[in-house]
Structure formats: structure tokens, C-alpha cells
């Protein structure tokens, strides 16, 4: 991504985090949704920040930071799934089952993928015997 694009994504993600905090204060009933949105968009800003600074750090450190941000992204997905599971009307326009399914897929994909990035440091996994 270009430097300007990552800067805009960071700013946009942080704006949504602030709006989620505002929503949590103004509308106490929406606190679970606001928390999940803050996690999700905070992870978006973190991923863009890691992408922006990738030239200044080693590839292994970059992969591990991207993995940590990806785990946060997966947790944000999982939190949205919990909100949709507990309140079928939290997301007005989409069916509850679709939201929960997408949230579980996001949690598994980004959560497990992030953990693998942290563990491997971006190096490919070796299966079987080494030659």
C-alpha cells in the first residue's frame, strides 16, 4: 500500500474507534456492539500502521507484528459474532445466522492465521522430514 493510503486507513480506523467509544458512553445498551466495533477498527488501524512501517523493521518482526494485529482483528470478528448471537437485532439488515457465520470464519481465519504468523515469523511451515 502507498504511504498516503495507509495514513488514511489509520486515520479512518481511529475515527471509528473514537465513534465507538462515543457510542458506548451515549448509548449504554450498545456497549457490546461498540466494544466489538472498537476492536475491529482498532485492528484495522494497527494493520495499516504495521504495513506503513514495514520498511523500517526486519521481515520476521514485521510478520509477528502483523500476526498480533491479525489476532486482534480475529477477536473483533469474534466479538461481533457474540453480539449477534446474543441480540438478533444488533445488526438490523442482515440475518443473525449470516453474521454469526461470518464472525466465526473471520475469527478462525484471522485468529489462527495471526497465531501462525507470530509462531513462524513469516517463514513457511515445514511438514514431514527435512532433506
Amino acid at each position: 500500500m502507498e504511504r498516503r493510503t495507509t495514513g488514511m486507513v489509520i486515520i479512518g480506523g481511529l475515527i471509528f474507534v473514537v465513534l465507538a467509544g462515543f457510542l458506548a458512553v451515549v448509548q449504554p445498551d450498545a456497549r457490546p456492539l461498540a466494544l466489538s466495533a472498537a476492536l475491529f477498527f482498532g485492528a484495522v488501524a494497527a494493520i495499516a500502521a504495521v504495513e506503513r512501517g514495514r520498511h523500517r523493521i526486519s521481515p520476521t518482526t514485521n510478520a509477528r507484528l502483523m500476526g498480533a494485529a491479525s489476532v486482534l482483528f480475529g477477536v473483533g470478528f469474534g466479538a461481533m459474532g457474540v453480539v449477534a448471537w446474543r441480540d438478533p437485532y444488533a445488526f438490523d439488515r442482515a440475518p443473525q445466522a449470516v453474521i454469526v457465520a461470518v464472525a466465526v470464519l473471520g475469527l478462525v481465519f484471522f485468529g489462527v492465521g495471526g497465531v501462525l504468523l507470530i509462531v513462524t515469523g513469516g517463514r513457511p511451515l515445514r511438514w514431514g522430514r527435512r532433506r
Side-chain angles (χ1 to χ4, degrees):
M1 261 194 260
E2 290 182 21
R3 187 169 170 83
R4 183 176 181 176
T5 305
T6 55
M8 294 302 290
V9 171
I10 291 168
I11 291 169
L14 293 177
I15 286 172
F16 278 107
V17 169
V18 169
L19 289 174
F22 179 73
L23 178 65
V25 170
V26 172
Q27 188 72 30
D29 294 340
R31 281 193 182 134
L33 181 61
L35 176 64
S36 65
L39 284 169
F40 184 85
F41 288 109
V44 169
I47 288 172
V50 172
E51 178 69 22
R52 185 174 188 156
R54 76 176 190 269
H55 302 295
R56 297 183 193 133
I57 55 177
S58 72
T60 302
T61 304
N62 182 44
R64 289 190 171 135
L65 287 173
M66 192 64 78
S70 181
V71 168
L72 182 63
F73 201 56
V75 169
F77 266 108
M80 285 186 190
V82 169
V83 168
W85 184 270
R86 294 182 70 202
D87 182 9
Y89 301 108
F91 300 92
D92 289 335
R93 301 282 183 214
Q96 179 185 19
V98 172
I99 298 289
V100 172
V102 169
V104 168
L105 288 174
L107 174 63
V108 169
F109 181 79
F110 289 105
V112 174
V115 169
L116 284 174
L117 267 176
I118 292 169
V119 170
T120 64
R123 293 182 295 279
L125 290 173
R126 303 275 186 207
W127 300 102
R129 295 184 342 178
R130 291 190 180 195
R131 296 180 185 193

